[in-house]
Amino acid sequence: MWRLKNILLWNLMAAVIVLGQAWPNTKLASQSSSGLKADCLGNLMRLSMDEALAVGNQLVVEAINGTQCVLLTPTLAAQCGYSMESDPWGNTRIYMSLMGCFVDNKDDATFKIGLKLQMYSQRPSDVVTHEVNQTCSYTRWAPKEILCDRNYMEVSNYLMKANPQTKRPAQDQNVDSYLLEDSGASHGIWKMTFFTPEPVVMVPREAEQAGYSAMTTSNRLIMRSPYNTPETFSEDVAGIPMEVFKVSVYNKAESGLGIVNLAAACPTGGVLFTESVISWYIPRRMTPLMDGTFRIVEMHMGINGQRLDRSQMAARGYTLSTTDFHIVAEVPVGSPDGYYKSHAPEYQYYVTYTVEPMLEVLWRADGTQDDIKYKVLFPITTPLMPRPPQVEDYTVPEDGVFSVMLGGFFHDVELKNITFVTGVLTVEESNARGLIVQEHIYTNGTKGFSLQVSFNADVVLKTNPEPLVTTYSLPLTVGLIILPDGTSFAHEVTLQASLQDVVLPALTGTCDQKHFYVRVKYGSQDRNFETAVGMRQLTPDLAKAYKLQENRTHLILRVPYNAQDSNFELVSSVSIQARLDIVLWEPNNQWVLGDLSLACSFPLMTTKCYPNGTITAVAVKLESVPSLVPSQLTLKDRSCRPVFSNDRFAHFSFSADSCGTSRTFFDNYMVYQNEISLYHKVTAKTSPAEPGYRQTIYCYYMVNKTQTVAFSHKPRSDDPRAEIGTGLLMVQMRQAQDAAYQHFYKAEDYPLKKYLKDPLFFEVVLMQSTDPQLELIVENCWATLQEDRTSVPQWDIIVNSCENRDDTHVTVFNPVKDNIAMPSHVKRFSMRMFTFTNNNEVLRDQIYVHCDAVICNTNGPPDGICRGQCVHPTGTKGTKFQGLKGAKREQRSTESTHQWQLSSGPILLSN
């Protein structure tokens, strides 16, 4: 049995398959089988096999020699005049010289050729066999003929006097017997001399072993040589590289020993390429083949061994012409007789075009009938030609669908997968998810792939370059594969489309007697915004305080009218007009998406008149006087100051016969009048920064009622006064557990553990004193890393009795409730937990808080810090959303006899 390594396997579309030691059972098919076609083409026979027969198979070719079959190895094929070519998809052509081995030659006129084709599929047991037998007739032999095929060169000469007793070997002999005549025979080829150009002498058996073939027929002497043998050489002819072999054959005949000089020259180059045309140059005068003067008698062009007439050439755009030195055949790139093949070196898309033109030339020596017929089959493949994929974006933004076509591919390219931002999907997976992928075949032989993706698909990215505009982006990486070799490559595409399709959130609001109610209906982008209430961002803590309620479509806030973030616009004796400003903004681009200014009137008794002559009044800080400090307001008598005040209200309580109250009568009423105002001491060099604050107080009493009130415009000399006493005053700073200041931490609870931005509530208290003429003022507070209050770095919390307004986390003074016996003896403030950093690195995960407190006599002159808590702010309050800015305190004095130094901590930052 033959071993597989000795068989010529032309792989068409399958991987290598290892067969068993014995031949499996075969199925025999006749020559008429569909997909096989044999043609006689002059001195060649061509067998064409359709790809349908070859797909998934391996092909083994055997030459039929009588009752035997001879396996054609690549070496034997070139030696015996057989060649084969196959495109990547299995379309196969086998060419056989009519002067080749194993051909039944009848008088150089009738030629019978037999081939056996065996198709091996992926299962070695399944073998399909085709036998092809073809008879060709050819009598138009020229005295000398040269045939150049892809793997061999052949030359045959007419023998003037053939010896009739010279016989060809019997057809059923071994290959060694009928390839060459035995050098010991009385007639036939005796020896041969090759010119390299140095002479090399061989007898027939030596030539056969070297890969050459030499034989005689009834009328002709044939010599055949593969390319690139030791006895062939290269020669440049008219600028065209040629492979040449020359040999002198010594032939014994009855009439004596004859010498026949043979030469063959076949082109190995001479092709020029442009993007649209292949130009093939062949020397017009083939100097290795001829001496003297020759002229061209006939000249024909063909494709795949088949001669074409002029109309066929014109229809294909082929031309055949001559110059002084060359015969020029031109073939358009992309003609239907060739094929394109895709490639992807370095993952870029390229193509080559392959075509096999044929040239036939008949030369004749001047004045003679010595003709030389020359035939060349010359497969040509262009260099790699870049073909960047063509991207056509057919997206209409108003349709809400990306539509793109990726084209310019040839038929051997298939779409394998698409990589989206969410992952890789095959074509089937893409279609199953509603991402429509389709293949399109065009009449020019190319193909494309279309993709349609909805703007709402999860593979689409969305950004907003403008508040009302959405930009949709679809980045793709299209994975492609080239058949049949399976080479992969990819092409990246990014599609973009913009639509003015954003629906902004809508704000509405209402009020009741105590609250603002704000409703925000989400827009098309859900809750993609931040909310500012007044000047503060709506944090989780603030949202909790304002009773935030929300669902998938909207949110609702309930804000008390007297909340810190509202603004007071107008006040009367029975009501107050307040306004709440809400701003929605997009945090990334700082776009304002919506705003609402909701103004309402709320019931508020600013003046109350009691039967015993006591009058209470409330002064309100209005938006029109932003720098007003309510604690600085007084009645007409400048010594009558508020009994309680904070940053928005000042509460007065006085008797009708004090504080400069005036009295008038009309009808049955007695009217008491006073005025709350801000006193400005105007000099020639100073002027009030804002218009003066005025709020008039009226109390009406019916004269005929029995209630009476003592009145005097000046204090009476017998008014009771408090005796000045002595005693030890104590000041304490402690930290509350909640905003209501109901529970406080004990010494054993330290160190406290807090998360970043957790609220910290502090209280400073004057202990064991019931003197209403004393007031506690918190002068300065700051934080350090160390327990030492003088250590650095430091961060200011309260500066000169006011919160550090340059801090983005503003310290807040919290009001002291009326249920406290001595509100002026207590100060409360809150801040957010923070940590010291340097270049975004936490220096230490704990802080200590230190304060300086001062005890002031309210009856004394209001100088310095004793003017009140935060009477003269140290900085101008900036907007909440500006960048962080630090504040620095002046060097503190610790020498004051009324100053207490307090500390709290440590407070640890919890991870």
Side-chain angles (χ1 to χ4, degrees):
M1 292 294 178
W2 299 293
R3 298 186 62 84
L4 186 61
K5 64 181 181 180
N6 296 321
I7 302 174
L8 175 62
L9 293 177
W10 283 293
N11 291 324
L12 304 177
M13 292 288 290
V16 176
I17 298 174
V18 180
L19 302 180
Q21 294 296 317
W23 289 114
N25 295 328
T26 62
K27 300 176 182 179
L28 188 62
S30 65
Q31 177 182 346
S32 62
S33 299
S34 175
L36 286 175
K37 182 182 178 183
D39 299 290
C40 299
L41 307 174
N43 58 356
L44 288 173
M45 194 273 278
R46 180 186 68 192
L47 176 63
S48 301
M49 183 171 60
D50 189 81
E51 62 176 303
L53 294 177
V55 173
N57 293 318
Q58 293 179 327
L59 175 63
V60 173
V61 181
E62 298 177 340
I64 299 176
N65 180 32
T67 60
Q68 295 184 353
C69 293
V70 180
L71 302 176
L72 291 176
T73 65
T75 301
L76 187 59
Q79 189 175 25
C80 287
Y82 294 79
S83 70
M84 180 189 222
E85 71 92 14
S86 175
D87 67 22
W89 305 278
N91 297 295
T92 304
R93 288 183 293 272
I94 302 174
Y95 295 93
M96 292 140 283
S97 170
L98 297 186
M99 290 297 179
C101 310
F102 320 121
V103 176
D104 187 3
N105 184 345
K106 300 296 184 183
D107 298 323
D108 295 335
T110 302
F111 306 87
K112 294 181 179 181
I113 303 173
L115 289 177
K116 182 178 179 181
L117 309 178
Q118 296 188 86
M119 305 287 186
Y120 291 87
S121 67
Q122 294 183 355
R123 292 190 303 173
S125 60
D126 294 336
V127 180
V128 177
T129 300
H130 298 271
E131 286 192 4
V132 178
N133 293 284
Q134 179 71 18
T135 300
C136 294
S137 298
Y138 182 66
T139 58
R140 296 185 58 188
W141 294 98
K144 179 179 290 187
E145 293 204 4
I146 293 95
L147 173 63
C148 298
D149 205 340
R150 60 180 31 78
N151 59 338
Y152 67 88
M153 302 178 286
E154 179 183 285
V155 57
S156 67
N157 254 43
Y158 180 71
L159 292 177
M160 297 297 295
K161 293 182 179 180
N163 189 342
Q165 296 182 358
T166 301
K167 299 180 180 179
R168 297 192 67 217
Q171 294 296 321
D172 58 355
Q173 293 179 342
N174 293 331
V175 62
D176 290 344
S177 300
Y178 49 72
L179 278 176
L180 300 172
E181 301 289 347
D182 185 81
S183 58
S186 57
H187 302 293
I189 298 174
W190 170 41
K191 68 175 183 177
M192 55 200 77
T193 301
F194 293 90
F195 298 94
T196 64
E198 297 299 324
V200 176
V201 179
M202 295 185 189
V203 296
R205 182 171 296 277
E206 292 173 337
E208 175 193 353
Q209 294 173 349
Y212 301 102
S213 176
M215 59 181 296
T216 59
T217 65
S218 57
N219 298 300
R220 306 188 68 80
L221 173 64
I222 301 98
M223 189 74 189
R224 192 176 300 107
S225 170
Y227 289 98
N228 301 315
T229 64
E231 285 69 45
T232 62
F233 59 92
S234 298
E235 182 175 335
D236 189 68
V237 181
I240 306 301
M242 309 288 288
E243 184 89 0
V244 180
F245 87 96
K246 293 184 177 181
V247 61
S248 294
V249 180
Y250 295 82
N251 186 45
K252 293 181 180 180
E254 291 183 355
S255 57
L257 180 64
I259 300 177
V260 181
N261 294 323
L262 302 175
C266 295
T268 57
V271 181
L272 298 180
F273 303 94
T274 67
E275 291 185 358
S276 56
V277 177
I278 299 171
S279 300
W280 178 28
Y281 290 79
I282 300 95
R284 180 170 182 172
R285 186 172 187 276
M286 199 70 69
T287 53
L289 307 181
M290 56 187 68
D291 296 323
T293 304
F294 281 78
R295 57 187 174 88
I296 297 176
V297 178
E298 295 181 21
M299 188 169 59
H300 304 280
M301 183 178 177
I303 291 290
N304 299 328
Q306 179 75 50
R307 181 185 294 183
L308 302 176
D309 58 30
R310 291 184 179 180
S311 63
Q312 291 172 320
M313 290 177 60
R316 292 166 166 82
Y318 300 157
T319 61
L320 186 62
S321 60
T322 59
T323 66
D324 292 341
F325 300 100
H326 299 101
I327 301 169
V328 184
E330 291 187 334
V331 177
V333 175
S335 69
D337 295 312
Y339 62 88
Y340 281 101
K341 179 70 180 75
S342 300
H343 306 271
E346 297 182 356
Y347 303 101
Q348 302 299 312
Y349 186 55
Y350 292 81
V351 297
T352 57
Y353 174 74
T354 299
V355 67
E356 186 173 6
M358 179 192 74
L359 177 65
E360 288 184 312
V361 182
L362 182 65
W363 284 287
R364 179 171 295 168
D366 291 342
T368 68
Q369 294 296 316
D370 293 339
D371 293 343
I372 300 176
K373 186 179 288 186
Y374 188 78
K375 177 185 283 189
V376 185
L377 279 67
F378 197 74
I380 298 173
T381 298
T382 65
L384 289 171
M385 298 179 288
R387 288 290 187 273
Q390 302 166 6
V391 178
E392 299 289 340
D393 188 355
Y394 297 108
T395 302
V396 178
E398 291 70 20
D399 294 341
V401 176
F402 282 111
S403 180
V404 63
M405 177 70 73
L406 183 65
F409 303 109
F410 286 99
H411 64 92
D412 57 346
V413 174
E414 295 292 338
L415 178 59
K416 184 178 181 182
N417 54 46
I418 302 176
T419 301
F420 298 96
V421 293
T422 56
V424 182
L425 298 177
T426 64
V427 174
E428 294 76 13
E429 291 170 341
S430 298
N431 285 314
R433 292 183 54 175
L435 315 175
I436 303 174
V437 182
Q438 292 179 314
E439 181 180 274
H440 304 267
I441 307 297
Y442 303 110
T443 56
N444 63 356
T446 63
K447 67 165 58 173
F449 306 97
S450 66
L451 174 65
Q452 291 183 324
V453 178
S454 170
F455 285 0
N456 295 323
D458 60 353
V459 300
V460 177
L461 303 177
K462 302 176 183 68
T463 57
N464 296 100
E466 301 176 25
L468 296 176
V469 176
T470 303
T471 295
Y472 299 88
S473 300
L474 180 62
L476 307 167
T477 300
V478 181
L480 302 134
I481 187 170
I482 298 173
L483 300 178
D485 50 352
T487 302
S488 298
F489 69 102
H491 187 73
E492 295 184 354
V493 180
T494 298
L495 305 176
Q496 282 192 342
S498 295
L499 272 179
Q500 189 169 325
D501 59 353
V502 177
V503 178
L504 297 179
L507 296 95
T508 57
T510 59
C511 302
D512 61 13
Q513 292 189 346
K514 293 185 178 181
H515 298 91
F516 295 99
Y517 294 90
V518 178
R519 185 177 188 271
V520 180
K521 182 181 179 181
Y522 301 154
S524 58
Q525 297 181 319
D526 299 325
R527 190 173 177 181
N528 69 321
F529 54 83
E530 296 290 342
T531 304
V533 182
M535 297 301 293
R536 292 195 295 172
Q537 183 175 348
L538 185 65
T539 61
D541 289 339
L542 192 58
K544 183 177 180 181
Y546 290 162
K547 309 301 182 185
L548 172 68
Q549 298 179 6
E550 60 182 330
N551 57 25
R552 294 187 300 107
T553 61
H554 65 276
L555 65 83
I556 296 175
L557 291 172
R558 189 182 73 175
V559 181
Y561 81 91
N562 58 353
Q564 175 185 344
D565 299 301
S566 66
N567 294 296
F568 298 147
E569 296 182 318
L570 186 65
V571 65
S572 69
S573 61
V574 294
S575 68
I576 183 170
Q577 181 173 307
R579 189 187 77 250
L580 183 67
D581 295 328
I582 303 292
V583 177
L584 309 180
W585 85 95
E586 194 275 329
N588 294 327
N589 300 290
Q590 297 295 308
W591 292 327
V592 175
L593 304 182
D595 57 20
L596 174 68
S597 290
L598 181 60
C600 297
S601 292
F602 300 91
L604 176 66
M605 296 296 294
T606 58
T607 303
K608 292 182 180 180
C609 306
Y610 296 93
N612 64 356
T614 301
I615 300 173
T616 62
V618 178
V620 180
K621 178 180 179 180
L622 300 179
E623 185 180 24
S624 58
V625 282
S627 63
L628 174 68
V629 179
S631 63
Q632 295 178 343
L633 293 172
T634 67
L635 296 173
K636 286 183 178 181
D637 184 345
R638 304 303 177 192
S639 65
C640 293
R641 304 172 67 87
V643 295
F644 169 76
S645 65
N646 57 22
D647 59 346
R648 310 197 74 187
F649 296 94
H651 295 264
F652 293 85
S653 179
F654 58 98
S655 62
D657 61 347
S658 65
C659 297
T661 307
S662 63
R663 182 181 61 184
T664 58
F665 294 89
F666 71 92
D667 296 335
N668 294 324
Y669 288 93
M670 181 171 58
V671 180
Y672 293 90
Q673 179 182 342
N674 209 320
E675 185 180 73
I676 302 173
S677 63
L678 179 66
Y679 173 72
H680 290 283
K681 187 177 181 180
V682 181
T683 66
K685 296 183 179 180
T686 63
S687 62
E690 295 172 354
Y693 180 90
R694 295 287 186 271
Q695 181 176 333
T696 304
I697 304 169
Y698 295 95
C699 273
Y700 295 81
Y701 292 91
M702 293 183 67
V703 174
N704 60 359
K705 286 193 175 183
T706 59
Q707 298 161 335
T708 60
V709 178
F711 173 79
S712 174
H713 71 281
K714 292 184 178 180
R716 296 186 302 221
S717 60
D718 57 349
D719 279 349
R721 296 178 180 273
E723 292 293 328
I724 298 176
T726 62
L728 180 62
L729 298 179
M730 296 179 60
V731 178
Q732 179 185 45
M733 182 169 72
R734 56 183 179 171
Q735 191 169 346
Q737 299 181 18
D738 57 290
Y741 290 82
Q742 294 181 352
H743 303 283
F744 294 83
Y745 292 109
K746 299 177 182 179
E748 56 266 28
D749 294 332
Y750 288 85
L752 304 181
K753 292 186 178 180
K754 296 290 184 178
Y755 291 97
L756 192 64
K757 295 187 179 181
D758 272 357
L760 306 176
F761 303 99
F762 293 90
E763 181 182 81
V764 182
V765 185
L766 174 60
M767 306 294 292
Q768 300 176 356
S769 174
T770 59
D771 190 348
Q773 299 180 16
L774 299 181
E775 183 179 6
L776 174 70
I777 303 295
V778 179
E779 181 184 15
N780 297 303
C781 290
W782 65 100
T784 63
L785 286 175
Q786 309 294 333
E787 186 174 4
D788 182 3
R789 65 194 337 258
T790 63
S791 63
V792 292
Q794 298 179 358
W795 186 256
D796 291 312
I797 300 169
I798 296 175
V799 180
N800 297 330
S801 82
C802 292
E803 63 267 30
N804 179 8
R805 299 180 186 272
D806 288 334
D807 191 346
T808 56
H809 304 293
V810 176
T811 302
V812 178
F813 283 100
N814 298 315
V816 180
K817 296 182 179 180
D818 294 335
N819 57 2
I820 301 297
M822 291 290 175
S824 64
H825 294 185
V826 180
K827 290 295 183 289
R828 292 171 175 173
F829 64 93
S830 62
M831 56 179 279
R832 298 283 180 180
M833 180 63 184
F834 70 99
T835 184
F836 287 84
T837 62
N838 183 19
N839 295 327
N840 294 326
E841 291 186 4
V842 175
L843 297 179
R844 193 174 181 186
D845 57 356
Q846 70 178 19
I847 62 171
Y848 290 81
V849 177
H850 314 277
C851 289
D852 291 338
V854 176
I855 305 299
C856 296
N857 183 356
T858 58
N859 290 332
D863 296 327
I865 200 66
C866 287
R867 289 189 179 96
Q869 193 74 52
C870 199
V871 173
H872 298 291
T874 59
T876 301
K877 184 175 177 70
T879 60
K880 175 65 179 174
F881 310 109
Q882 292 178 348
L884 179 65
K885 182 179 179 182
K888 285 295 181 182
R889 288 170 282 108
E890 304 250 335
Q891 182 65 36
R892 296 178 183 81
S893 171
T894 59
E895 301 297 323
S896 172
T897 58
H898 303 291
Q899 189 180 67
W900 271 256
Q901 297 178 349
L902 312 167
S903 295
S904 175
I907 306 172
L908 301 180
L909 177 65
S910 177
N911 292 324

